[in-house]
């Protein structure tokens, strides 16, 4: 709700020219009235009226050139024997309101020195006490009011700048959050599509290769490929559901994942120590890491005799190691893009973990360390 003072300030802010005209007229009439009061009616001369008019008109530029206006006002006041006190007060106020406090202090001292010297020259030391009283009160009041207005302006401007900065930061945070969400969606799509398609292609190739020699094994591979396709569709629907309503994703089943890779022809051995982490988010990260590492082994390892998946939940940090003894150590030219390793590192980093991946004397190894987390960190991955 706007207060009365706020309404007045808003009115003068909208009608700056009217306010300036009133100030100019007031200062001119005040100077004229002082001249008439001191000299008597009909005793004013054109020189004093001209100086009064020039000083009053100069106040139009009091905001843009306060130093120049103050100089004109001080000179005019000295030339008219101290009749322009009102204009001097406006000039001092304008300097304090539109410049720094140090500048206002310098203007005050300089003006009082000039006008005080002129008073002593005109009236002797007898007029110095009156000068100090009237001009001291005028200067102190004008400078204090002007400094208060300047401080309020700076405070309001600081609030506006802070609000603008917060708005920009909020916008940037929104853009970063959107980028993180896009990256998470891309990683999930990579996990769902690329991994499942890799296994399905391998199952289909295997089923074709043994169709005549071992129809039962071929049928089992085809059935598993169909199941994997349905699971991929469910994962896609679940991902789309997360995008639609924000519901959390659920961890996958490691035993089923390992069995799928075994059916696809990868000799996986799973070893686990300690209880699984209670955090669903951390379980999901472990699942995705194992899935990515085994998919890479299925793609690139040449005739491995053993792929060892070790999950050590009993240590802190949690240690995950996927090691194969295949001869291949480089990505296949047709499919290698390193996006899987990038996604794997980013998933581990989300929980403060690290990833080491590279060739061994025989085969390839992926080793991941993830500190034990509290349940609160689940919110970061959802």
């Amino acid at each position: 709700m706007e207060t009365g003072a706020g309404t007045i300030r808003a009115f003068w802010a909208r009608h700056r020219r009217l306010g300036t005209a009133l100030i100019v007229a007031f200062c001119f009439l005040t100077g004229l009235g002082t001249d008439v009061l001191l000299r008597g009616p009909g005793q004013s001369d054109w020189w004093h009226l001209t100086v009064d008019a020039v000083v009053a008109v100069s106040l139009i530029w009091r905001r843009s050139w306060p130093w120049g206006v103050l100089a004109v006002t001080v000179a005019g006041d000295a030339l008219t024997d101290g009749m322009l006190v009102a204009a001097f007060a406006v000039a001092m106020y304008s300097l304090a309101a539109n410049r720094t406090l140090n500048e206002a202090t310098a203007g005050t001292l300089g003006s009082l020195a000039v006008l005080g010297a002129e008073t002593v020259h005109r009236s002797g030391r007898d007029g110095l006490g009156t000068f100090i009283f009237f001009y001291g009160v005028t200067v102190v009041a004008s400078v204090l009011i002007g400094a208060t207005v300047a401080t309020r302006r700076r405070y309001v401007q600081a609030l506006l700048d802070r609000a603008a900065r917060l708005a920009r930061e909020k916008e940037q945070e929104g853009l970063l959050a959107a980028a993180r969400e896009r990256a998470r969606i891309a990683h999930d799509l990579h996990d769902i599509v690329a991994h499942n398609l890799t296994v399905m292609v391998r199952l289909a190739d295997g089923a074709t290769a043994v169709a005549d020699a071992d129809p039962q094994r071929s049928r089992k591979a085809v059935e598993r490929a169909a199941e994997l396709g349905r699971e991929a569709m469910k994962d896609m629907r679940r991902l789309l559901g997360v995008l639609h309503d924000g519901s959390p994703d659920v961890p996958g089943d490691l035993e089923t994942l390992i069995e799928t890779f075994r059916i696809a022809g990868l000799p996986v051995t799973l070893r686990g120590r300690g209880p699984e982490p209670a955090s669903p988010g951390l379980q999901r990260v472990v699942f995705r890491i194992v899935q990515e590492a085994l998919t890479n082994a299925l793609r690139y390892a040449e005739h491995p005799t053993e792929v060892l998946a070790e999950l050590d939940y009993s240590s802190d940090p949690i240690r995950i190691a996927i090691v194969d003894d295949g001869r291949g150590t480089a990505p296949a030219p047709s499919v290698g893009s390193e996006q899987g390793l990038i996604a794997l590192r980013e998933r581990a980093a989300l929980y403060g973990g690290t990833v080491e991946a590279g060739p061994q004397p025989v085969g390839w190894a992926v080793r991941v360390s993830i500190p034990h987390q509290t349940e609160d960190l689940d919110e970061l991955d959802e």
Side-chain angles (χ1 to χ4, degrees), residues 272-294:
R273 287 191 293 273
E276 290 187 2
S279 164
L282 190 52
Q283 291 179 25
R284 184 163 57 252
V285 169
V286 171
F287 178 86
R288 295 302 189 191
I289 289 172
V290 174
Q291 184 184 47
E292 174 65 34
L294 292 180

Side-chain angles (χ1 to χ4, degrees), residues 109-131:
L109 296 177
S111 300
L112 291 179
V114 171
L115 295 177
E118 191 278 333
T119 300
V120 171
H121 174 73
R122 183 180 70 248
S123 305
R125 294 189 178 183
D126 295 338
L128 190 59
T130 304
F131 166 80

Side-chain angles (χ1 to χ4, degrees), residues 60-346:
I60 295 175
W61 297 278
R62 67 193 184 282
R63 294 191 182 92
S64 53
W65 295 304
W67 274 108
V69 170
L70 179 62
V72 171
T73 304
V74 170
D77 195 61
L79 292 173
T80 57
D81 299 332
M83 295 187 304
L84 306 181
V85 179
F88 176 67
V90 172
M92 287 302 307
Y93 164 84
S94 300
L95 181 66
N98 296 282
R99 292 295 185 266
T100 64
L101 184 59
N102 289 336
E103 290 182 87
T105 302
T108 299
L109 296 177
S111 300
L112 291 179
V114 171
L115 295 177
E118 191 278 333
T119 300
V120 171
H121 174 73
R122 183 180 70 248
S123 305
R125 294 189 178 183
D126 295 338
L128 190 59
T130 304
F131 166 80
I132 292 175
F133 176 77
F134 284 104
Y135 276 82
V137 172
T138 300
V139 168
V140 170
S142 301
V143 171
L144 286 179
I145 296 173
T148 301
V149 171
T151 301
R152 181 182 179 279
R153 286 176 183 169
R154 286 191 288 268
Y155 175 71
V156 171
Q157 188 60 45
L159 291 179
L160 293 176
D161 292 342
R162 183 173 182 271
R165 185 175 66 254
L166 291 176
R168 288 194 299 269
E169 291 176 355
K170 184 176 181 180
E171 181 180 1
Q172 291 172 355
E173 289 176 359
L175 293 175
L176 291 174
R180 288 194 297 267
E181 185 64 13
R182 285 195 296 269
R184 188 184 73 83
I185 293 170
H187 296 162
D188 286 343
L189 287 174
H190 175 273
D191 294 337
I192 294 170
V193 177
H195 298 171
N196 287 293
L197 284 179
T198 297
V199 177
M200 290 171 66
V201 170
R202 183 61 64 89
L203 288 171
D205 289 343
T208 301
V210 301
D212 296 332
D214 193 347
Q216 183 65 24
R217 185 179 176 185
S218 175
R219 186 180 303 107
K220 185 177 180 182
V222 172
E223 290 174 353
R224 183 54 188 156
E227 292 177 4
L228 198 61
R230 284 190 290 269
E231 290 175 5
M233 292 178 64
K234 283 198 289 186
D235 287 341
M236 287 293 294
R237 284 194 294 268
R238 185 167 60 246
L239 177 60
L240 294 176
V242 169
L243 294 178
H244 184 265
D245 58 14
S247 57
D249 195 6
V250 296
D253 182 17
L254 275 175
E255 293 292 343
T256 303
L257 178 68
I258 297 297
E259 184 61 28
T260 298
F261 279 100
R262 287 172 180 162
I263 295 174
L266 195 67
V268 184
T269 300
L270 177 64
R271 295 178 184 172
R273 287 191 293 273
E276 290 187 2
S279 164
L282 190 52
Q283 291 179 25
R284 184 163 57 252
V285 169
V286 171
F287 178 86
R288 295 302 189 191
I289 289 172
V290 174
Q291 184 184 47
E292 174 65 34
L294 292 180
T295 299
N296 289 340
L298 184 63
R299 284 178 174 176
Y300 311 135
E302 296 181 11
H303 311 296
T305 60
E306 182 183 34
V307 179
L308 180 60
E310 290 186 299
L311 308 178
D312 187 0
Y313 298 121
S314 61
S315 65
D316 190 4
I318 296 172
R319 301 188 183 278
I320 304 169
I322 311 296
V323 183
D324 67 73
D325 59 0
R327 291 190 295 276
T329 59
S334 61
V335 293
S337 64
E338 298 187 358
Q339 291 299 315
L341 284 177
I342 293 174
L344 189 151
R345 288 191 175 96
E346 291 184 357

